[in-house]
Amino acid sequence: MNINSAIAKTYIFSNRKQTSVAAAGVVLGMSIYIFMNSLLVGFDKTSNSSIFKSTSHIRVYKDDEISKPLIENSKEKPIIINPKIVPVNNTIINPNLVMESILKQKEVTVVTPQVNSSVFFNNGKSQISGIAIGIKPDEANLMFDINSFMVEGNFEMLKSNPNGIVIGSGISQKMNLTINDNVNLTSSKGITRNFNIVGIFKTNNSITDKTKSYVNLTTAQQLLKEGTNYITEINVNVYNPEEAESIARKIENLTGYKAEGWKQANETFMAANKMRKIVITFVSFTILLVAGFGIYNILNMTVSQKINDIAILKAMGFKGKDVIRIFVTQAVSIGIMGVIGGIILAIILITILKNVYVGGDIGYFPIDYEFEKFVQGVIIGLIITFFAGFIPAKKAANVDPVEILRK
């Protein structure tokens, strides 16, 4: 240990009460910073998994076309004044080729077709409107993990039963239906057909649970009086959901069809999530910054109290940079003690909350050990404590020993 470190150590242990208060401030700030950011990551994972129960990372479909003026770039008025949606069949042409092209992209993991059909669910005099989603059961389960939110029946039964249907828990409750009951569906094309309920799912999203059902892809095509090539949209999952928007643009250029990322499809949710992230980050960083001000105040007081000692050191031949090293070493040492204590306290808090069961679809409290946030907290904490020590140290380094000793 060199002389500068020895002096810094002496200052640390000679004022144990002040050192303890400064370290406690860093412990509190560090633990709250890590805790709140880990909580934010847990919330993001939980909310995203809830979205992905019914939404793919990318949805490929044929977008509506808007009519354009028949006369353009002319002084004459266009024949069509008010643009309207062109009434065309919004189906994907040659869907198998499109899916093959998408699946060749290295970022893509799963591709599956889907047919959406607006229907009425009929049971005696009871009738509610909803959607029958035509899927390939194996591929859809791989994409949405439908088995994970099944509450009754067996989703696998849908593969072997062309007249099978899996309904939402909201439909089941409203129409008093259960496993092996029959329900009648009437499509928008006037096709009426009886189905046998092979499963009931519950996503805890009331809109989804009260309106959606799953049937085989060919069955949905028959409800719409369409052939086997009729596909309304193609769902795509990728390795990294955060890159879905950029991959969607790539798929759009490749296929010529509209490709929409999950963030674009859930803009309101993403805006609320962004606001939550800003608030939590700001609050946690502010608390850590306040801890840094605590170190600054204590070291500033130490400089004032030890001004004579500093003058004597400089008179003995210590340079300004030596004085800076002494006080910066003191600040960083307090910061390291606080960081270690903060990490331990954060781990304890996270461990306790991880084992708290909140119920519903969430299950256990949505928080987890996020290594990146621990590293981020350590770096920010040490930077703040460094500057909290450097500023008063710079002041001490500029002390004129002659002027101080004259006093």
Side-chain angles (χ1 to χ4, degrees):
M1 184 184 292
N2 60 35
I3 187 66
N4 294 337
S5 300
I7 294 171
K9 182 181 177 182
T10 302
Y11 283 162
I12 289 171
F13 288 102
S14 63
N15 297 305
R16 292 182 180 179
K17 185 178 288 186
Q18 290 182 342
T19 301
S20 299
V21 171
V26 179
V27 168
L28 185 63
M30 175 64 59
S31 61
I32 291 177
Y33 181 87
I34 294 172
F35 173 80
M36 294 188 74
N37 280 277
S38 296
L39 184 65
L40 182 62
V41 172
F43 281 159
D44 285 346
K45 287 180 179 178
T46 302
S47 55
N48 288 353
S49 65
S50 178
I51 288 175
F52 295 147
K53 285 181 179 179
S54 56
T55 304
S56 59
H57 298 163
I58 301 171
R59 184 171 73 101
V60 181
Y61 62 98
K62 185 175 181 181
D63 202 6
D64 292 325
E65 296 180 9
I66 305 298
S67 59
K68 298 178 181 179
L70 297 181
I71 302 175
E72 294 182 352
N73 301 323
S74 172
K75 293 181 180 179
E76 299 181 37
K77 290 184 178 180
I79 295 176
I80 298 177
I81 298 175
N82 298 318
K84 300 283 193 257
I85 294 176
V86 179
V88 294
N89 192 358
N90 285 345
T91 183
I92 294 175
I93 299 171
N94 202 349
N96 292 329
L97 181 61
V98 173
M99 286 188 288
E100 285 177 12
S101 301
I102 296 172
L103 199 54
K104 287 179 181 178
Q105 307 307 306
K106 61 181 180 180
E107 304 93 345
V108 174
T109 57
V110 187
V111 178
T112 183
Q114 182 172 304
V115 172
N116 296 334
S117 174
S118 298
V119 297
F120 284 104
F121 298 95
N122 309 299
N123 184 29
K125 293 184 178 180
S126 300
Q127 185 182 72
I128 58 175
S129 60
I131 301 173
I133 303 175
I135 57 170
K136 290 185 175 181
D138 284 336
E139 294 176 2
N141 188 47
L142 186 62
M143 178 169 287
F144 302 117
D145 194 17
I146 300 172
N147 272 331
S148 66
F149 49 89
M150 291 290 293
V151 291
E152 287 186 60
N154 186 357
F155 182 75
E156 300 296 322
M157 292 290 293
L158 194 62
K159 292 188 293 184
S160 57
N161 189 349
N163 293 318
I165 186 171
V166 176
I167 62 173
S169 57
I171 300 172
S172 171
Q173 292 170 4
K174 276 189 172 185
M175 308 196 76
N176 195 26
L177 296 169
T178 187
I179 298 299
N180 295 323
D181 284 349
N182 291 324
V183 62
N184 181 271
L185 265 65
T186 303
S187 72
S188 57
K189 295 294 181 71
I191 301 295
T192 300
R193 184 166 171 175
N194 290 322
F195 289 87
N196 180 251
I197 299 172
V198 297
I200 298 172
F201 66 84
K202 185 177 182 180
T203 63
N204 286 330
N205 182 317
S206 60
I207 296 176
T208 299
D209 294 340
K210 290 178 181 178
T211 59
K212 287 188 177 181
S213 64
Y214 292 107
V215 296
N216 281 289
L217 185 67
T218 53
T219 303
Q221 291 165 340
Q222 291 166 8
L223 285 172
L224 294 173
K225 296 182 180 179
E226 298 291 348
T228 54
N229 282 329
Y230 181 84
I231 300 297
T232 55
E233 62 185 65
I234 296 172
N235 293 315
V236 181
N237 268 13
V238 295
Y239 285 105
N240 186 0
E242 295 300 318
E243 298 177 356
E245 308 302 318
S246 59
I247 298 171
R249 289 192 292 270
K250 183 178 176 182
I251 291 174
E252 197 168 289
N253 294 330
L254 176 69
T255 63
Y257 290 105
K258 176 70 175 178
E260 183 180 65
W262 66 277
K263 289 184 179 181
Q264 186 181 351
N266 297 275
E267 288 184 349
T268 303
F269 167 80
M270 296 309 300
N273 191 44
K274 187 176 181 180
M275 288 173 61
R276 181 178 64 195
K277 190 175 292 184
I278 291 171
V279 170
I280 289 180
T281 303
F282 176 77
V283 171
S284 59
F285 181 77
T286 301
I287 293 171
L288 198 55
L289 197 61
V290 169
F293 274 111
I295 295 176
Y296 168 78
N297 289 331
I298 287 172
L299 291 184
N300 202 37
M301 192 183 302
T302 302
V303 169
S304 300
Q305 291 174 347
K306 305 293 183 182
I307 197 73
N308 291 333
D309 295 356
I310 295 167
I312 292 170
L313 289 173
K314 295 195 75 174
M316 291 171 60
F318 279 73
K319 298 179 181 178
K321 63 181 180 180
D322 294 315
V323 176
I324 290 175
R325 283 173 186 159
I326 290 170
F327 287 99
V328 168
T329 300
Q330 185 179 352
V332 172
S333 298
I334 294 172
I336 290 172
M337 288 187 286
V339 163
I340 294 171
I343 290 173
I344 294 170
L345 182 57
I347 291 173
I348 293 171
L349 290 173
I350 293 170
T351 303
I352 292 171
L353 276 181
K354 265 177 67 70
N355 294 295
V356 174
Y357 186 75
V358 296
D361 188 47
I362 295 174
Y364 287 92
F365 199 86
I367 190 171
D368 206 351
Y369 308 105
E370 189 69 22
F371 179 74
E372 183 183 336
K373 298 303 176 184
F374 278 79
V375 174
Q376 193 178 79
V378 169
I379 292 172
I380 293 175
L382 291 178
I383 289 174
I384 289 175
T385 54
F386 171 81
F387 282 103
F390 181 79
I391 295 171
K394 190 71 176 173
K395 174 184 173 183
N398 294 327
V399 167
D400 185 352
V402 176
E403 187 177 330
I404 296 298
L405 291 174
R406 278 178 179 173
K407 294 180 181 179

